[in-house]
Amino acid sequence: MFQSVRPHASAIRFRREALKMSLAKLSALTGVNKGHLSRVERGLAGLGDTNIRRVATALGVPPAAITHHEETP
């Protein structure tokens, strides 16, 4: 079995808003384009492992708090 990880859109947005952090600020902290982060939060785009870690660090949570884990045969 292969385990893939994808961002949990609502968890990212919820945490960002709880911190009163703008998309622009999250973008500046992570190096991820603001438009791409917006698409991630709406569930329209994904993030690679490195960017998941960057976003989690910027939000002050472990990567597992902002991802879904899925098993693929």
Side-chain angles (χ1 to χ4, degrees):
M1 292 272 187
F2 173 75
Q3 190 173 34
S4 64
V5 180
R6 65 183 173 95
H8 188 293
S10 60
I12 294 171
R13 175 175 273 168
F14 179 81
R15 179 65 179 164
R16 181 180 61 78
E17 290 177 346
L19 294 171
K20 299 187 185 331
M21 183 185 296
S22 68
L23 276 173
K25 177 69 172 181
L26 184 57
S27 175
L29 291 171
T30 61
V32 179
N33 178 277
K34 183 174 80 169
H36 187 72
L37 287 171
S38 176
R39 288 187 294 278
V40 168
E41 286 190 347
R42 290 181 283 141
L44 301 175
L47 290 170
D49 291 342
T50 299
N51 285 332
I52 285 174
R53 285 192 298 275
R54 287 178 181 164
V55 169
T57 298
L59 296 175
V61 296
I66 60 165
T67 56
H68 292 290
H69 297 275
E70 301 174 334
E71 288 193 14
T72 307

